[in-house]
Amino acid sequence: MRIKVSPSVGFKIDLSKIAPDKSISHRSVIFSLLSYKPSFVKNYLQGEDTLNTLEIAKKLGLVVKEEKDGLIFIPPKQLKEPSEILDCGNAGTAIRLYLGLLSAREGMFVLSGDCYLNARPMKRVVEPLRQIGASIFGRDGGNLAPLVVIGKPRLNAFNYVSKIASAQVKSALILSGLYAKGECKYTEPQLSRDHSERMLMGMGANLESKLNPNGALELKIFPQKNPLNPLEIDIPADPSSAFFFALAIAITPNSRGILRNVLLNATRIEAFRVLEQMGVHITYREYASTYESIGDIEISSPNYLKAIEIHQRIAWLIDELPALAIAMACAKGVSKVGNAKELRVKETDRIVAIVRNLQLCGIEAKELEDGFEICGGDFKMCEVPSYGDHRIAMSFAIAGLRSGITITQAEYINISFPNFLEILNAITQVEVDNES
């Protein structure tokens, strides 16, 4: 699919149909398998990634009933050993969390995905799981999918110190640690996104979490003696998806808007904080708090955007850095991102994708080993590829508001934000060519 986005002038938006949170959607279905009673999930994301996660759960024995207001997830008494490959599609979260879950369950399971997912490194999860007794095999010594898991109950207790802050590694080890032979401990250098801990503790999991004075996370995981309590959750809007329209306001003069019912978890709104540092006016209005803080975000565009350097809290920004790169390209001066080597192992090498696409747009950009440097300037109309990456596609679609842009392989937007183009079309003209 090819899309063509026209330039825009100032606008006002009030958005209440932002895509539901992808991270919480993934976890709601996977964690429901750990309960003894049906879970009720409202507003589950109907994106390709999360639908693949749901289909895998069905193959493992989950029964899904559609109700008027949401979905009922009825867990099996024990997970089934499927007779077919478990297809994760493009979902890195799905394959890594299922690795943790299935390693501690009896049976043989084969996890695979599309050509992009099967090229992504998996050793960051596979190796720590192997260290505690998991049997996982795959291409490149288990670094690449397809991956075969020979699950067995009660893996060894562990004290694992992660070199990176990764919500996926942490979540996989929590899921295996809940069914280990003894108390487990997980440490990471900085708190990564903490939805797993919040949701699992809300379901009755025995976890203890604390931050050291240096900001490192220490997490204790105690073996689960009984099934967890069921979930009952209304999934809020995804702040990573909402951020694309915060960016749209930020780079379009005389614009303002309200983003409704957004997840306000501190580990998920750091990109909004960066926009504030760049001069964007943002107000947060919390009105609910269940497993997570939820509220509205009000935004208005600044007179101009300030250049910025980002080296801290990268784990809280990793998904939004492609969009922030567009803001940097519209700012006055030179911006720089460092300590972000993680970008190279996402859906694509996002450092390469960001820099090359910005150069095609007439923006001076330079690739660094662990980030990039961008000199703000004027966009020119051009055509750029998505690199098979939904966040690259959406970031550059928003960049089109400045001068117009054409994006190829834009169908990957449906992975996380199925109604993105519908919302964007309310701001400016979007032409879609499904034949390309």
PDB file of all heavy atoms in Angstrom, residues 79 107 116 124 219:
ATOM      1  N   LEU A  79      -2.530 -25.563  29.787  1.00  0.00           N
ATOM      2  CA  LEU A  79      -2.287 -25.181  28.408  1.00  0.00           C
ATOM      3  C   LEU A  79      -2.195 -26.403  27.504  1.00  0.00           C
ATOM      4  O   LEU A  79      -1.623 -27.424  27.868  1.00  0.00           O
ATOM      5  CB  LEU A  79      -0.997 -24.367  28.293  1.00  0.00           C
ATOM      6  CG  LEU A  79      -0.926 -23.030  29.036  1.00  0.00           C
ATOM      7  CD1 LEU A  79       0.312 -22.265  28.598  1.00  0.00           C
ATOM      8  CD2 LEU A  79      -2.165 -22.193  28.807  1.00  0.00           C
ATOM      9  N   GLY A 107       5.389 -29.346  27.495  1.00  0.00           N
ATOM     10  CA  GLY A 107       4.967 -29.488  26.108  1.00  0.00           C
ATOM     11  C   GLY A 107       6.006 -28.973  25.139  1.00  0.00           C
ATOM     12  O   GLY A 107       7.043 -28.422  25.538  1.00  0.00           O
ATOM     13  N   TYR A 116      10.355 -10.114   9.007  1.00  0.00           N
ATOM     14  CA  TYR A 116      10.989  -9.081   9.826  1.00  0.00           C
ATOM     15  C   TYR A 116      11.214  -9.587  11.250  1.00  0.00           C
ATOM     16  O   TYR A 116      12.288  -9.396  11.835  1.00  0.00           O
ATOM     17  CB  TYR A 116      10.142  -7.808   9.832  1.00  0.00           C
ATOM     18  CG  TYR A 116      10.046  -7.159   8.475  1.00  0.00           C
ATOM     19  CD1 TYR A 116       8.912  -7.309   7.688  1.00  0.00           C
ATOM     20  CD2 TYR A 116      11.092  -6.385   7.975  1.00  0.00           C
ATOM     21  CE1 TYR A 116       8.823  -6.714   6.435  1.00  0.00           C
ATOM     22  CE2 TYR A 116      11.016  -5.790   6.720  1.00  0.00           C
ATOM     23  CZ  TYR A 116       9.874  -5.951   5.953  1.00  0.00           C
ATOM     24  OH  TYR A 116       9.794  -5.369   4.722  1.00  0.00           O
ATOM     25  N   ARG A 124      18.592 -12.238  23.821  1.00  0.00           N
ATOM     26  CA  ARG A 124      18.439 -11.477  25.057  1.00  0.00           C
ATOM     27  C   ARG A 124      17.396 -12.112  25.973  1.00  0.00           C
ATOM     28  O   ARG A 124      17.438 -11.929  27.198  1.00  0.00           O
ATOM     29  CB  ARG A 124      18.047 -10.031  24.754  1.00  0.00           C
ATOM     30  CG  ARG A 124      16.695  -9.880  24.058  1.00  0.00           C
ATOM     31  CD  ARG A 124      16.332  -8.441  23.848  1.00  0.00           C
ATOM     32  NE  ARG A 124      17.375  -7.775  23.097  1.00  0.00           N
ATOM     33  CZ  ARG A 124      17.446  -6.460  22.964  1.00  0.00           C
ATOM     34  NH1 ARG A 124      16.542  -5.699  23.530  1.00  0.00           N
ATOM     35  NH2 ARG A 124      18.387  -5.917  22.260  1.00  0.00           N
ATOM     36  N   LEU A 219      13.764  -6.551  41.494  1.00  0.00           N
ATOM     37  CA  LEU A 219      12.446  -7.185  41.500  1.00  0.00           C
ATOM     38  C   LEU A 219      12.565  -8.603  42.050  1.00  0.00           C
ATOM     39  O   LEU A 219      13.376  -9.393  41.560  1.00  0.00           O
ATOM     40  CB  LEU A 219      11.891  -7.220  40.066  1.00  0.00           C
ATOM     41  CG  LEU A 219      10.510  -7.829  39.871  1.00  0.00           C
ATOM     42  CD1 LEU A 219       9.433  -6.977  40.544  1.00  0.00           C
ATOM     43  CD2 LEU A 219      10.217  -7.972  38.381  1.00  0.00           C
TER      44      LEU A 219
END
